[in-house]
Amino acid sequence: MPKEYRKRGRREEKKRKRVEEEEEKEEKEEKEEEEEDSALASKRRKSQDAAEQGFNTTVDDIEPGGQHDYTTYAGPGDLPFYGLLDDDEQEYFKRADSMLEHNQFANPEERTLFLANIYKEANGKELRIANSQSCSRLMERLILLSTPIQLKVLFQKLSGHFLHLVQHRFASHCCEALFIHAAPVVSQELTAPIGDYGFNHDNGEVYVSMEDIFLDTLKELQTNLGYLMTDQFASHPLRVLLLVLSGSGFTAPRSSTLLQSKKKERISITGQDSAHIGGETESRAIPASFKDAVDQVIAETVAGLDTTYLRALTTHPIANPVLQQLLELELTRSGKQSIKDTKSLFRKLLPDDPLEDRTESVSFINSLLYDPIGSRFLEIIVTLCPGKIFKALYKYCFMGKLGILAKNEVAAFVVIKIIERLGKDDLQNAMDHVCPHIDVLIKRSRTSVIKALIERCRVRHLNTLPISAALKQAYGEEPSDCLTQMLKVSYTSTMGMAEDRRKQLEIQDSTKTHGSLLAQCMLESPGLLRELITDGLLALKPAFLITIAKDRTASRVIQSALVCPEQTPKFCRMLIPRFYGRIKDLAIDTVASHVIDSLWAGSTGLPFIRERIVVEIAQHEASLRTSVPGRAVWRNWRMDIYKTRRKEWLNKGKVQDGGGKTGIELARERYAVGISRVHSVSKPRMGSGTGANGAPIQGKA
C-alpha cells in the first residue's frame, strides 16, 4: 500500500506532534463541555417545579407547603427557600388577585371585609406569597389597599428576611411597594400617632411606630449596602428606601427615573386613583432620626470603598442610580461642608483640591462625558456642586468645548446642565462657541441644546441675534420654509391615511416633538426669535395651517403663539381670520379643539373677531354637542350664557380681558365714594367772609 507522504526532518516531526496534541486537547474540552451541558440540563429538569418561584435551589425532597432551613444561608447572595404554595392555595390567591385588580365589589365595605379574609388566609404564608411568581402581584395589590395597621403587621411578618427578599426577582417588587406606601404613615405619626388600636396581641402583634420599623429595616441591610447597590434586584428597593429616609416625593420627574424603568409592570386597580398607586408627589415631613440614618448610610458606604472602586461604580449600570442618590443627598444636605470633608463621597471621587488642569479628578470628569451611564452621574455633579467647584470644572473641563460636546448624543445632556448654571459673561462665551455648530445640531436632532441656550439667554437678557441668524441659515431664509422644516409637518404625507395610523406615526416621531418644543421656546423670547415663528405662521397657506392645527405636536405652536405673553394684537388680528369657516371642523377634532380654546385668549381686545367666532360656534351647536371635544369647546366659550344672557357674556369677556371690573371691585368703589362723602359732610362749614369773618359756623346750642 502507498504510504502517507511525510516531510523528513526533526522540525516537521515536532510540528506534527504539536498539532496532534492540540487536536486531542480540543476533543477533550468538547467532551467536558458536553458533560457540563448534560449536567445542567438534568439540573434544570429537577428544579423545573421551583423555577416558577424564582429560586436557585432545587426542591427534590421538599413537599408543597414545606419549610426549608433558610437560617443556614450566611452570605447575602445565597437566597433561602421558603417553601411552595400548594395548588389550592395558588388557585385561591390567583382568584383573589383577579377580583382586586378588577375591583369586583359592590361597595368599599365589602372590599375591606374581603381584604381582611385574604390577610387571614395568608397568615404565616407571607414569605411564600412574596416569592411566588404568580402570587407576588397579589401582595402588591394588598399593599396598595392596606390600612396603616395592616402595613405594620405585614412589616413585622417580613422583618428579619428583608436582606433576602430585596434580592429576589419577585419579592423585591413587594418590598418596593411596601416601602412606598408605608412612607406617608411616618409623616402622619409625627402629628397624630396611630396607637396600638387594631393590633391582635394574641397573635404576637406588637405596636411599633413606622419610624422604628424603617430604621430596623435599614439595620438589616446596612452591613451589605456595598453589595446590594450592585445587585440586579436589590438596588431598586434600596433606591426607594433612600427616598423614604430623605423625605423626597416618589412620582417627581427626578425620582421616577431613578426608581424604575419604562418597562416596569404597573400594578393597578380598576377605579383606584393613579396618584395613590404611584405614591406621593411632594416631599414629606420626616423625623430627625431619618436624617441621621441617611448620613450614616453615606458614611458607611464611602468608608468601605476606595476612590478607584467608587469611580468604577459611576459607570456601573445598576449601582450608578444608587450612587446618584447618595451624592445628591450629600450635596443638598451638607453643601460646602461635604467639600471640606475628606471622607465625604464627593471628595472620594474628586480628591484634588483645588481642581487644576491635568489632575486625576479632571481626567475622571472627562471620562464621564461620553459614557452613557457615567454622564448621568456627571449631570448631578454639575447641577449640585458648589459654585466654587463648578467654576473650576467649567474652566478646566468645558470652557471652549461646548460647541463640540453639544454634537455628541451623550455629552449634549451634560452641556444642557452646564448652560443652566452659567453666568452672563460665560453664557455669552458659550453662545459664541455653540452658534457655529447649530446647523450640525439640527441635522443630528440636538435641538434641546439650542432650546436651553435660548431660555438662559432670555433669563440673562442677552442678545439672541446670533442664534436667530444661525437658525435661518440652518432651516432656510423663507419664514414658511423655516417653520415647516422645524415642525416636520407634511401636507401630503397623511392624506388618505387612517386616523389611528396617523396618530401612531406622530407619537413615534420624536424629532417633531423636539422641533415643536424649540418653536414654543422661541415664542417665549421677544424679538427676532419670536418674529421668526410668527412670520412663518402668517406665511403659511390656510389649508396647511389647518393641517398644523390638527397635528398632535405642531398644534401646540399655534396655541403658544396665541397665548404667549406680550403678543401683539396685530399678529392675532391677522392669524385668527384664517380659521373662519373651519371653526366647526376644528372644534370637533380631538387635537384642533385646543386651538379653538386658545382663540379666546388670542382675541383679547378684539371684540369683533371674538363675536365672529362665537357666531360660527352657535351655528353648529348640534354638531358640537354630539362630540366630546365639541362639548368642551362649547363649555369653554360659555355658549350657554351667550345664548341666554348675551350682555352678561360680553361683560364676563371684558372682565377676563382686564378691561372690566368685577362686582366686588365695583362695590368697593361705591363704598369708597360713600365714605368720602361722609367725611366731606362731617367737616365744619366755613363762613363766606375772609379773615376773622371766615371762622367756622357753629351749630345751634
Side-chain angles (χ1 to χ4, degrees):
M1 292 180 66
K3 296 183 180 179
E4 180 184 0
Y5 174 75
R6 295 181 180 179
K7 291 184 179 181
R8 291 179 294 178
R10 295 180 180 178
R11 293 181 179 176
E12 294 298 329
E13 186 70 22
K14 291 181 180 179
K15 183 177 180 181
R16 186 169 58 254
K17 289 182 179 180
R18 187 168 60 251
V19 171
E20 291 176 356
E21 291 176 357
E22 290 178 355
E23 291 178 353
E24 292 177 358
K25 185 177 180 180
E26 290 178 357
E27 292 178 358
K28 185 177 181 181
E29 290 177 354
E30 290 177 358
K31 290 181 180 180
E32 291 178 354
E33 290 179 358
E34 291 177 358
E35 291 176 357
E36 290 178 0
D37 292 340
S38 61
L40 288 173
S42 61
K43 186 176 181 180
R44 290 193 192 101
R45 287 193 297 269
K46 290 180 180 180
S47 60
Q48 186 175 4
D49 295 334
E52 182 184 359
Q53 303 292 337
F55 296 108
N56 298 327
T57 55
T58 58
V59 290
D60 296 337
D61 302 327
I62 301 177
E63 299 178 357
Q67 192 74 12
H68 186 71
D69 186 13
Y70 50 81
T71 57
T72 58
Y73 290 86
D78 299 327
L79 297 182
F81 180 66
Y82 295 107
L84 295 172
L85 296 170
D86 58 33
D87 295 338
D88 294 337
E89 291 173 341
Q90 286 196 14
E91 184 65 27
Y92 170 78
F93 290 130
K94 286 181 181 179
R95 187 168 60 252
D97 180 43
S98 178
M99 293 182 65
L100 289 177
E101 180 182 6
H102 299 95
N103 203 7
Q104 300 173 347
F105 305 99
N107 48 57
E109 290 76 14
E110 182 179 344
R111 188 176 67 181
T112 302
L113 182 61
F114 184 72
L115 287 174
N117 292 332
I118 295 178
Y119 268 108
K120 184 177 180 181
E121 182 67 26
N123 186 26
K125 307 169 187 174
E126 293 84 1
L127 295 172
R128 277 176 271 168
I129 294 174
N131 286 270
S132 172
Q133 179 182 8
S134 57
C135 299
S136 60
R137 295 182 182 88
L138 170 65
M139 179 164 287
E140 291 189 59
R141 290 193 174 90
L142 280 177
I143 293 170
L144 295 179
L145 300 171
S146 295
T147 62
I149 294 177
Q150 291 172 334
L151 291 175
K152 287 186 177 184
V153 173
L154 184 58
F155 250 116
Q156 294 180 12
K157 297 288 185 180
L158 304 180
S159 179
H161 307 284
F162 280 109
L163 180 59
H164 302 298
L165 293 177
V166 296
Q167 299 178 71
H168 194 271
R169 178 181 179 183
F170 308 120
S172 60
H173 296 286
C174 299
C175 294
E176 286 185 58
L178 184 60
F179 295 162
I180 290 175
H181 294 278
V185 182
V186 179
S187 303
Q188 295 174 11
E189 290 184 342
L190 291 177
T191 56
I194 298 175
D196 59 352
Y197 176 76
F199 284 88
N200 190 352
H201 299 283
D202 297 335
N203 293 337
E205 298 173 2
V206 182
Y207 170 75
V208 184
S209 66
M210 192 62 77
E211 174 187 353
D212 294 334
I213 291 176
F214 271 112
L215 293 176
D216 291 341
T217 304
L218 180 62
K219 288 180 182 179
E220 290 187 42
L221 309 177
Q222 202 160 358
T223 56
N224 297 282
L225 289 177
Y227 170 82
L228 295 177
M229 64 189 302
T230 59
D231 186 80
Q232 181 181 2
F233 304 118
S235 63
H236 295 277
L238 185 58
R239 300 174 205 173
V240 176
L241 188 58
L242 288 174
L243 284 178
V244 172
L245 296 175
S246 63
S248 304
F250 296 105
T251 56
R254 168 71 186 152
S255 301
S256 59
T257 55
L258 286 175
L259 289 182
Q260 56 194 15
S261 64
K262 296 180 180 179
K263 299 180 180 180
K264 179 178 172 61
E265 180 184 1
R266 266 65 173 179
I267 301 298
S268 60
I269 297 172
T270 303
Q272 190 78 9
D273 186 9
S274 58
H276 173 71
I277 292 175
E280 293 187 344
T281 58
E282 300 179 354
S283 58
R284 293 165 284 99
I286 56 174
S289 59
F290 279 16
K291 299 177 182 179
D292 298 336
V294 170
D295 295 336
Q296 189 176 359
V297 168
I298 297 174
E300 291 190 1
T301 303
V302 175
L305 304 175
D306 58 359
T307 300
T308 305
Y309 189 74
L310 280 174
R311 289 179 175 178
L313 291 180
T314 58
T315 58
H316 193 281
I318 298 175
N320 177 274
V322 182
L323 210 60
Q324 286 184 52
Q325 279 185 285
L326 294 176
L327 182 63
E328 183 177 357
L329 291 173
E330 182 180 85
L331 292 178
T332 53
R333 291 162 56 83
S334 301
K336 297 181 180 180
Q337 295 180 0
S338 62
I339 306 302
K340 300 177 182 178
D341 188 4
T342 56
K343 297 181 180 180
S344 63
L345 175 60
F346 185 86
R347 272 300 164 207
K348 278 256 185 158
L349 292 168
L350 304 175
D352 296 304
D353 188 18
L355 285 175
E356 294 181 354
D357 194 15
R358 297 181 180 179
T359 57
E360 290 186 2
S361 299
V362 173
S363 301
F364 169 65
I365 293 295
N366 292 329
S367 67
L368 296 178
L369 269 172
Y370 299 101
D371 190 275
I373 300 172
S375 61
R376 296 178 180 271
F377 188 81
L378 183 56
E379 291 179 35
I380 299 295
I381 296 178
V382 171
T383 304
L384 300 177
C385 70
K388 181 180 177 181
I389 300 296
F390 175 76
K391 289 180 180 179
L393 285 176
Y394 180 71
K395 180 179 179 180
Y396 296 114
C397 298
F398 310 121
M399 181 178 287
K401 305 177 184 177
L402 294 184
I404 299 174
L405 295 175
K407 294 188 291 185
N408 185 269
E409 61 180 354
V410 176
F413 295 99
V414 182
V415 172
I416 293 173
K417 300 297 182 182
I418 295 171
I419 290 175
E420 291 176 353
R421 289 203 62 177
L422 291 178
K424 188 173 183 179
D425 296 336
D426 291 332
L427 186 61
Q428 180 67 51
N429 180 268
M431 183 170 61
D432 296 338
H433 284 87
V434 173
C435 284
H437 302 278
I438 281 182
D439 55 341
V440 180
L441 296 178
I442 291 172
K443 290 179 182 178
R444 299 182 181 181
S445 300
R446 306 282 183 267
T447 55
S448 299
V449 178
I450 307 173
K451 175 176 172 289
L453 187 61
I454 294 173
E455 290 176 347
R456 298 308 300 173
C457 287
R458 184 177 73 249
V459 173
R460 299 293 185 184
H461 303 289
L462 290 179
N463 186 11
T464 56
L465 180 60
I467 302 177
S468 177
L471 289 174
K472 282 185 178 181
Q473 184 179 0
Y475 284 117
E477 292 293 337
E478 291 295 328
S480 59
D481 296 338
C482 178
L483 186 62
T484 304
Q485 292 294 328
M486 188 180 299
L487 299 181
K488 305 290 184 182
V489 179
S490 176
Y491 179 69
T492 58
S493 61
T494 57
M495 290 295 293
M497 188 179 294
E499 183 72 13
D500 296 340
R501 178 59 178 167
R502 180 172 65 87
K503 292 179 180 179
Q504 184 180 3
L505 291 176
E506 290 175 359
I507 295 173
Q508 290 177 352
D509 193 356
S510 61
T511 57
K512 290 179 62 176
T513 304
H514 291 297
S516 176
L517 292 174
L518 177 60
Q520 295 175 51
C521 177
M522 294 169 64
L523 286 169
E524 297 291 333
S525 301
L528 295 175
L529 291 175
R530 178 183 293 177
E531 292 176 2
L532 193 63
I533 303 300
T534 54
D535 293 346
L537 288 173
L538 295 176
L540 294 175
K541 296 180 179 180
F544 193 64
L545 190 64
I546 298 300
T547 302
I548 292 179
K550 293 183 177 181
D551 190 90
R552 189 170 298 274
T553 55
S555 64
R556 297 183 180 272
V557 177
I558 301 178
Q559 300 173 38
S560 299
L562 291 170
V563 302
C564 67
E566 301 177 3
Q567 184 60 274
T568 60
K570 179 181 177 181
F571 168 75
C572 297
R573 192 184 300 114
M574 297 174 65
L575 181 66
I576 294 176
R578 296 172 179 266
F579 298 104
Y580 288 168
R582 303 296 299 272
I583 298 296
K584 189 261 292 185
D585 296 336
L586 297 176
I588 61 178
D589 187 82
T590 306
V591 177
S593 60
H594 298 287
V595 177
I596 302 300
D597 292 336
S598 62
L599 292 181
W600 175 274
S603 59
T604 300
L606 305 172
F608 296 104
I609 292 179
R610 181 175 288 181
E611 290 181 16
R612 172 68 175 80
I613 296 172
V614 79
V615 168
E616 189 171 347
I617 293 176
Q619 290 175 353
H620 302 90
E621 178 182 359
S623 300
L624 266 65
R625 288 188 178 275
T626 55
S627 67
V628 176
R631 289 195 293 270
V633 171
W634 186 272
R635 181 176 60 254
N636 294 335
W637 275 77
R638 300 172 183 84
M639 294 303 298
D640 291 329
I641 300 177
Y642 172 80
K643 294 189 66 177
T644 57
R645 304 183 298 277
R646 186 164 301 183
K647 187 176 181 181
E648 181 182 347
W649 183 85
L650 292 172
N651 292 333
K652 283 193 173 184
K654 291 179 181 179
V655 170
Q656 291 187 356
D657 295 344
K661 297 180 180 179
T662 61
I664 188 64
E665 291 174 344
L666 294 173
R668 286 171 180 168
E669 289 182 357
R670 290 195 296 268
Y671 178 79
V673 172
I675 291 296
S676 63
R677 288 177 180 175
V678 170
H679 286 301
S680 63
V681 171
S682 62
K683 289 181 180 179
R685 292 184 294 116
M686 303 297 292
S688 58
T690 60
N693 296 328
I697 300 174
Q698 301 294 335
K700 294 182 180 180

